[in-house]
Amino acid sequence: MHVTPLRRARRAGIVAAAAALPVAVAYRFALVYRVRAGYPKRHPPAYGPDAVGLPFDELLVPTPDGLRLPAWFIPAGPDPAPGVVLVHGWESSRDRTLPHAQVLHAIGMHVLTIDVRGHGANGPEALPMSVGEYAIDTRSAVAAMRARPDVTTIGILGHSMGAAGSLVAAAQDGDVGAVIAVGTPADPRRLTRQTFRLARLPLPGVVAWPLAWLTTRVYLKPRGHSVASISATNAVRAIRVPVMLVHGTDDGVVPVTDLARLEAARRTARPDAVTVSLRVEGGRHSWLYEFPGYRAAIGRFLAASLGGPLAPDDAARVAEAVPAVRLPDPERLVTLDEEPGGLRSLARIVRRREASMPTPMATTKTLATETAD
């Protein structure tokens, strides 16, 4: 049978359309993921520092792009002392950092804890958020600390997304004297891939990794971030000051293998820099401050790195004795602290039929029905 040029062109068009369809579906998935996962649900603080017996001042921390972040400054006392910026995780707020503030106050350090933009008492954001925004707001808090005459040296302690943001901020800010990163996702692409696993998407690696690559880049595009610029792994390679990396061995959100990646990157790039690693046996993603050994370790590290009124061993003993426990919160599920940014949103993508979903996502909607629990 003779194949005419027109018929040959039609066949080529069909083949091209078939090849393009998976890419179109993947891109549409990435756009929906960005909308659903990029905007945290805000939870205003339910407690103030007075709930745990700490003195405080209400502050507004200015950012380079004109925001004013609600914050608490918790003084260690009237004398000059080191200051530590506390940075909460995704869909959290500054009241979740109060147990850490108790520990730091006990060892004689000033504390500044902020609500990251789009979180806590802040208004909603117009664009999706990532580690990049955490880093900007962390640097703003460091600048606010630096402006205080009663602060001698500055450290940062961040959790989860806040930990990644803290590392990125420290890599950019020469005024930071030490960083503690707790439950840190090693890089954005791996975090996106992990949300696929946690949402139980039955994707083989040959599909999941390219999809995570595309989704991450689509997610970051509105703010103009690159994957490299907000990678905690890249940041630890650049930080010259002491870094402490902490992870719970039973972390079900950010795998403990991410700690190994950060350790390897840090020690390869900065073999002469101070790097302290701590695996908390039985620790999950959150609430590691409830482990006495963890409290002792951060007390010793900060006293050794930043100075202060207590020697490192004395700071460790005092920190270990602090009765730091999570605060009850009837308005929020504790599972908020056991999920990474966007996990619940991703679960909604794959488990619900979106009434307004355009036709190109039909494949994903079918997948959602088949994999729903």
Side-chain angles (χ1 to χ4, degrees), residues 193-201 252-253 338 340 343 351:
R193 174 67 179 97
Q194 177 66 357
T195 62
F196 295 172
R197 293 191 183 99
L198 293 170
R200 300 180 183 177
L201 280 173
V253 175
E338 289 300 309
L343 173 58
R351 293 181 183 179

Side-chain angles (χ1 to χ4, degrees), residues 85-157:
V85 171
L86 297 180
V87 190
H88 62 73
W90 185 262
E91 290 193 348
S92 189
S93 59
R94 61 196 139 128
D95 61 342
R96 290 295 177 103
T97 70
L98 288 175
H100 275 117
Q102 287 179 275
V103 176
L104 302 178
H105 183 266
I107 63 174
M109 297 193 177
H110 302 305
V111 173
L112 179 62
T113 180
I114 62 171
D115 281 342
V116 174
R117 69 183 65 197
H119 292 77
N122 288 296
E125 285 290 293
L127 296 174
M129 285 189 54
S130 71
V131 169
E133 284 60 62
Y134 270 84
I136 292 170
D137 293 352
T138 301
R139 290 189 65 186
S140 299
V142 169
M145 273 288 209
R146 185 169 56 241
R148 300 187 65 93
D150 52 349
V151 173
T152 56
T153 53
I154 303 171
I156 310 173
L157 191 160

